[in-house]
Each structure stands twice: as C-alpha cells, then as structure tokens.
Amino acid sequence: MIKCVYKPQDLRYVFMQSDSPNQKELVQLEGYLNQIPSFMFLPSFRGIPKPEVFLNKFKAKDGRLIYWCHSGLIGTIQEWCKKNDIKISGVDDNLTKRDMPMTLEDFKLYVNSWGLSITPRDYQYEAAFKILQNKQSLSQLATRAGKTLIAYMVFRYMLEHGAKKILMIVPSIQLVKQGVEDFSEYAEFFKTETVWAGSQLCASANLTIGTYQSLVKMADPKSKKYNPKFFNDYDVVCVDEAHHLVCKSINTILGLDFMKNLKIKFGFTGTLPNEGTIDSFCCHALMGWTIQDISPMELVDEGFLAKPDITQIRIKYPESDALTAAYIKCGEYLNSPDKIVDGKKVLLPKEQRSFTMNYVKTLPYALAEVKKLYTPSEYSKYLIDLCKAKGSNLLMLEQMLVHRSQKRLQIMDEILQGMTKNCIVFAHHTEYLKFLKEHFETKFPDRKVRIISGSANLKQRQAIVNEMNAEDGVILCASYGCCSTGITFKNVDYCIFAQSFKSEIIVKQSIGRMMLKTSEKDTFYLYDLVDWFPTKRIYTQGLAKIKTYDKEGFTYRIINR
C-alpha cells in the first residue's frame, strides 16, 4: 500500500511512503513517472540520457526514504495504482475538492442574474461548475467551445465569493487582447490590467491577463522588471492553452510561493498531451487532474461547430533519374560543411539561393571520392544513409524535396481552381510561404492572396482577418505557429495543409481554426497533402495524422496521386 500525507496549509505537494519491503510500489511508480525524454535516444544526442524527475525522494531522520511530488499528479498516481492493483490511502476531499454551496441548477440561475450579453450553453455552465468544485484541474475543451465565457463565469463567481485577485496566463499578445475584449463584451465587471511588452499595470485591477513571456520577468532577479511582490495577492490562477505548461517560463511562475495560498487554479486546452507521456505529467503536476473532456465531434453532433470533411492526398514520387538527382543535390548540401570566412558563413550569390540552400558549402573529400566510384543511384542511397545516421536530417532532406515539387504545386492549383470561398494554406517554412504567395498571385491574378508569418505584427494580422471576414475568394498563406491558436476566422470554408507534421496538438489546433459554425457554413473542407517519397519520413507523419483523425472521430478519405 502507498500511504499519502500532505500539509493542509500548503497543498502543492504530496508525500508518500510504502509499507512493503524496499518500498517496491514507489520504486515502480518512480520508474513510470521519471521517464527519459525520447530525443535523448536519438543518434544525434550528445550526453548521458537523464530522466525528467516528477517523483522526488529524500531520506528521513529514521533512514527511510520519503517520496514526494506535486499534488496535481494525484489523479495520475491513483489511475496507475488502479491499473497495477495497488492500494493507496490518504487522498481525501480536503486535497482535491472545494466546497460549492449551490447545485448546478442554482449556479445557472446565479449566472443568469448577471445579465450577460451571451447566454451560456448547457455544457458551458457545467464546465464552469466542475472547475469551481475542484481546487486544481485541467479541462480539455474543443477549440471553439467558448473557453473565455467559461473562464468569465469562474472568475466572476470567485470574486463575488471572497477571491482577491485573479491571474490569467496566456501564450500570446493576441490572446491577451482577445480576453480583455471578450470579458468586456459579456458584461462590464472586472478591473482588468494586461501584462505584455509595452503594457501598463493598474494598481486597482482585480484581473490580470498576461503572457507567460512577460510575467516571468517579474520573477527573474536578472530582469529590469523584477518585482517579487507582484504575485503576492493572487489567489486564483488560470492557464489558457495549458499544453504550453511544458514551457520553462510557466514552470517558473507556477513554482513561486504565492501558489500555496491559492483558492483555485485551473487550466484550459483543446489539446492535452497523451496520457502517460512526459508532457502529460508536466501538465498535471503544475495544474491538476483532468476533470472533463469535451471533444470537437460532441459539439459538432450537438450543432455548435462545423463538421470537418478531410481529404488526405498522398503524393507519390516513384524512383526516377530526376528524383535521384534531387536526392543528390539536397543530400550533398545537408552533408557538407559551410564555407567560413572571418568566422562567418558565406552566402551564395542571390540568384543561386533557393529554399534553405542559402550558403556556400564545401563538399568533403570523402564524399567527392565516393561520388566518383558510385553510380548516381548508389551515391544517392549513400547520402540518404548519411542523413539517417544524423537523425532528423532525413526529414530535412524530404522537406527540401517538397519545396521543389512541381507536382504538389499543380495539385494545390487544382484544389484552388474555381473556389469562391476563402481558403487558408498552412505551412511551416517562411520562405515556402512567400514562394506560395507569389505562385498563387501569378496563377490566380483575380484573387487576393495574403500572408501571415512571424514577421506580421498584430495590427497587420487583424487587418487580414477583417478582410477575410468581409470578403470571399481570399487565399491566405499562413504559418501554423501564428494562426493555429488565438485568431478567430469567421469566414473560411477551405484549408490546405501544405507542409506535413505529425504533432497531434498542431493538427487539432489548426483544424479548430476552421470549425466556427455560421449561418452559411456547417461543414468545412480540409485537404491534407502528404508527400510519399521512397524514404517515407513525411509519409509516416501522414499516417500519424490519420490516427489523430480516427481518435477525434473525423470523417476522412484517402486519395493517391
């Protein structure tokens, strides 16, 4: 049996011992929680693999080991004990539950008395009520589920029932501004301040919405904005897009002493990491157990979101002399060192640069000799093996081939041809986005083509969003990082995944951008392009996306081209 104890005055941590010889249950639990990150097993990793430590231990005066962890992991530990038929004691409602002096129906009447401009949906009342019943929690709510309205209900209830000050942590300035606007639209109640680069603090504020990048400076003694007293009065904390909890900045903020005085802390995300992973343990450790999961298809079935119609187009590239030559060109570039002059890499002449091939390279003597001895086919396979040996280089090799593929350009042109509604073309690489924008402007001279990448500021991004909300036929070339969260597109019916990836979080966040239902849209159409080279790295990512579609219950079809 595992026995748990905690301090009532500080619920951040739980301490554990086992009554079995050598505390074998806790040794097994330690092996489960303290996993080694997968990247440390890659050939390119230099160093000794070390586990991420979630279950710590120290030696007591009597010589026995005492294990301890963040109390947010209790749900994970209880589930693990259940699966392994291990008993656990000492976990009670004082650690996990809050006193809620009203029923769900009473709570609905209470919220309705506020006279909000938007009447919450039933699931939104229930989501807020569940959060208020728990001292710490994570809620996985589909993109477009109305997380801001749910947060408003929790915040206002807490302030009207004894809370002093609320801290809402978000990953971007866009979400800071969106939160302020939405809260004000629902009903004027909060005195809000914002924390981001260039913002001003307000001494009388009872709600602070800030980016974790700016908030962490308040806790950094090396920063000019260092202010250790800044966090003292907060007794409610919310983290939006809580899958970012793996970031060091949020870890730093949530590790401060003020956290032991909280009445409630909770996190929202549409994309929690898979259970049993290091990222999942991190999210639970810092924010709590998962108390609810509202999936996109639940809201589609209830008529709240638009239904995704997905076509995965697998673009085959059979063996050929042209493909061999492309493998050799890109493979030599990846496996050759940069030419260095005066400590700097030498740029190629402007006319010779193309998609990540920007610097002068020196072909190693050994490669030059191999090239003389091997046929082009043998030499290309040799270069491929070199890329495999360097871990991620094989994926980079395929991505370079993607940038030069005329076949996929032709397929995108076919998809966009005759399209009268707006379409977002998602990609990773900034150079590729610029190339696509120029290509589409030439191919479709009568249509507006816009781009949102990291270089576009908030004002420019919002101007493009407003333009797309007001007009049809716009093609937007957008980076996943800039548009997969925080931007609301109200008038987009089509989407193209123009570069591949396997991250379930990126897949779900990007699809969520399209799921806003309107009077004119109850279905949106996604074209997922997957390049199928003989080396099959990107193809494998396509298979991973299919698993995500299956998991989410999305309808899809597969077409080979």
Side-chain angles (χ1 to χ4, degrees):
M1 174 184 285
I2 294 176
K3 299 176 181 179
C4 301
V5 295
Y6 60 90
K7 296 179 181 179
Q9 68 273 26
D10 187 352
L11 299 179
R12 290 179 296 171
Y13 307 110
V14 172
F15 302 86
M16 290 169 279
Q17 281 192 324
S18 168
D19 57 6
S20 63
N22 300 319
Q23 304 203 71
K24 66 176 183 179
E25 292 94 345
L26 287 169
V27 172
Q28 292 170 4
L29 178 60
E30 184 180 15
Y32 173 66
L33 290 177
N34 297 348
Q35 299 179 10
I36 296 175
S38 57
F39 73 87
M40 291 186 178
F41 294 109
L42 294 174
S44 56
F45 178 74
R46 297 291 180 265
I48 300 172
K50 296 180 180 179
E52 291 285 345
V53 178
F54 294 98
L55 186 61
N56 299 268
K57 57 190 174 185
F58 65 90
K59 189 171 288 188
K61 290 181 180 179
D62 62 3
R64 293 200 70 187
L65 284 177
I66 296 177
Y67 290 77
W68 64 276
C69 67
H70 285 273
S71 61
L73 282 168
I74 277 298
T76 301
I77 292 171
Q78 287 176 312
E79 188 65 27
W80 178 85
C81 287
K82 184 178 179 180
K83 288 181 179 178
N84 290 276
D85 197 25
I86 295 173
K87 293 182 179 180
I88 182 170
S89 66
V91 180
D92 54 31
D93 286 351
N94 289 326
L95 178 64
T96 60
K97 295 295 183 182
R98 291 185 69 255
D99 290 331
M100 192 63 184
M102 58 178 70
T103 65
L104 175 59
E105 293 306 314
D106 292 335
F107 178 68
K108 289 181 180 179
L109 293 173
Y110 183 79
V111 170
N112 291 341
S113 71
W114 295 339
L116 301 181
S117 62
I118 298 175
T119 301
R121 299 164 181 166
D122 283 343
Y123 74 84
Q124 291 169 331
Y125 287 116
E126 292 172 12
F129 188 76
K130 285 181 180 178
I131 291 168
L132 288 165
Q133 289 179 305
N134 289 271
K135 291 178 179 177
Q136 53 183 321
S137 66
L138 280 167
S139 296
Q140 183 164 245
L141 306 175
T143 304
R144 306 295 180 199
K147 294 190 288 288
T148 312
L149 180 55
I150 294 168
Y152 180 98
M153 289 188 278
V154 174
F155 291 165
R156 183 160 176 175
Y157 178 91
M158 290 302 299
L159 285 176
E160 292 181 348
H161 288 77
K164 296 177 184 177
K165 202 170 180 182
I166 296 165
L167 177 62
M168 185 176 188
I169 305 171
V170 299
S172 68
I173 299 172
Q174 183 79 30
L175 287 172
V176 171
K177 295 189 173 183
Q178 182 179 310
V180 173
E181 292 171 3
D182 288 347
F183 289 152
S184 178
E185 180 185 338
Y186 300 148
E188 292 288 351
F189 176 78
F190 302 109
K191 295 177 182 178
T192 307
E193 68 178 355
T194 59
V195 179
W196 52 281
S199 64
Q200 296 293 321
L201 299 181
C202 173
S204 62
N206 56 14
L207 170 62
T208 301
I209 306 176
T211 64
Y212 56 80
Q213 301 97 323
S214 294
L215 286 166
V216 76
K217 293 177 182 178
M218 308 285 192
D220 183 3
K222 297 179 182 179
S223 171
K224 293 180 180 179
K225 295 186 177 181
Y226 178 56
N227 181 5
K229 296 181 180 179
F230 172 82
F231 297 96
N232 287 354
D233 294 331
Y234 294 105
D235 49 8
V236 175
V237 169
C238 170
V239 177
D240 193 15
E241 303 298 342
H243 54 276
H244 288 289
L245 281 165
V246 295
C247 295
K248 184 178 179 182
S249 298
I250 300 182
N251 274 257
T252 299
I253 296 167
L254 298 183
L256 299 175
D257 280 347
F258 83 99
M259 295 295 291
K260 69 182 178 183
N261 301 317
L262 294 185
K263 289 180 167 60
I264 184 174
K265 65 175 178 177
F266 63 101
F268 287 132
T269 182
T271 49
L272 272 177
N274 290 328
E275 289 294 328
T277 62
I278 290 175
D279 287 354
S280 170
F281 297 154
C282 184
C283 290
H284 290 308
L286 293 173
M287 197 51 57
W289 40 89
T290 303
I291 59 169
Q292 54 193 327
D293 182 358
I294 300 176
S295 71
M297 287 309 297
E298 285 182 64
L299 301 184
V300 168
D301 293 339
E302 291 179 23
F304 297 127
L305 296 181
K307 180 180 179 181
D309 185 305
I310 302 171
T311 302
Q312 184 173 94
I313 302 175
R314 296 176 178 175
I315 308 169
K316 288 189 172 184
Y317 298 88
E319 298 278 6
S320 67
D321 291 343
L323 183 61
T324 297
Y327 268 127
I328 290 173
K329 180 179 180 180
C330 297
E332 285 185 339
Y333 189 85
L334 285 172
N335 288 289
S336 297
D338 296 300
K339 183 177 181 180
I340 304 295
V341 175
D342 296 329
K344 296 181 179 179
K345 294 189 288 186
V346 180
L347 281 166
L348 285 164
K350 212 165 189 177
E351 64 276 7
Q352 294 180 25
R353 299 176 204 167
S354 65
F355 296 134
T356 67
M357 288 187 176
N358 296 315
Y359 296 98
V360 177
K361 297 276 189 173
T362 303
L363 189 67
Y365 174 79
L367 271 185
E369 291 301 306
V370 169
K371 190 174 184 178
K372 293 176 185 176
L373 297 172
Y374 285 3
T375 65
S377 177
E378 291 171 335
Y379 182 52
S380 70
K381 290 177 181 176
Y382 183 83
L383 290 170
I384 288 168
D385 287 339
L386 282 180
C387 289
K388 284 181 181 178
K390 293 182 179 179
S392 62
N393 267 16
L394 186 55
L395 179 59
M396 292 175 63
L397 176 63
E398 289 195 8
Q399 288 171 340
M400 293 174 77
L401 298 177
V402 164
H403 293 156
R404 292 155 177 78
S405 171
Q406 291 300 310
K407 185 174 182 179
R408 74 194 322 273
L409 274 180
Q410 181 182 344
I411 290 171
M412 282 190 274
D413 292 343
E414 292 172 6
I415 293 170
L416 292 166
Q417 188 70 46
M419 188 183 289
T420 58
K421 295 291 186 179
N422 293 334
C423 179
I424 298 180
V425 181
F426 275 121
H428 289 294
H429 202 276
T430 301
E431 282 186 68
Y432 193 54
L433 285 168
K434 291 178 181 177
F435 169 78
L436 290 177
K437 179 178 182 292
E438 293 171 2
H439 173 80
F440 294 144
E441 284 174 334
T442 302
K443 189 69 179 180
F444 306 103
D446 298 330
R447 297 175 66 176
K448 291 184 178 180
V449 183
R450 300 290 184 258
I451 185 171
I452 294 180
S453 61
S455 60
N457 60 37
L458 280 178
K459 188 176 290 186
Q460 292 169 330
R461 295 178 194 184
Q462 193 56 51
I464 292 172
V465 172
N466 293 341
E467 183 178 41
M468 294 180 72
N469 290 341
E471 300 181 33
D472 286 328
V474 179
I475 301 171
L476 172 62
C477 301
S479 74
Y480 293 108
C482 293
C483 293
S484 62
T485 59
I487 296 181
T488 300
F489 294 98
K490 298 179 180 178
N491 185 30
V492 176
D493 289 49
Y494 297 91
C495 177
I496 299 174
F497 284 170
Q499 273 188 295
S500 196
F501 51 89
K502 65 178 180 179
S503 167
E504 183 176 333
I505 288 176
I506 294 178
V507 172
K508 291 166 68 175
Q509 292 281 4
S510 301
I511 289 176
R513 295 302 98 201
M514 313 294 117
M515 295 187 74
L516 181 67
K517 186 175 182 179
T518 67
S519 58
E520 297 181 355
K521 183 182 81 173
D522 57 14
T523 302
F524 81 88
Y525 301 90
L526 167 63
Y527 298 91
D528 176 16
L529 305 187
V530 175
D531 297 86
W532 190 346
F533 295 104
T535 38
K536 292 187 178 180
R537 273 298 168 92
I538 291 176
Y539 175 75
T540 302
Q541 293 184 341
L543 297 181
K545 281 187 280 187
I546 289 295
K547 289 182 180 178
T548 299
Y549 302 152
D550 284 329
K551 179 179 175 182
E552 295 300 309
F554 295 152
T555 300
Y556 64 88
R557 66 188 62 82
I558 297 171
I559 296 176
N560 294 323
R561 290 289 300 268

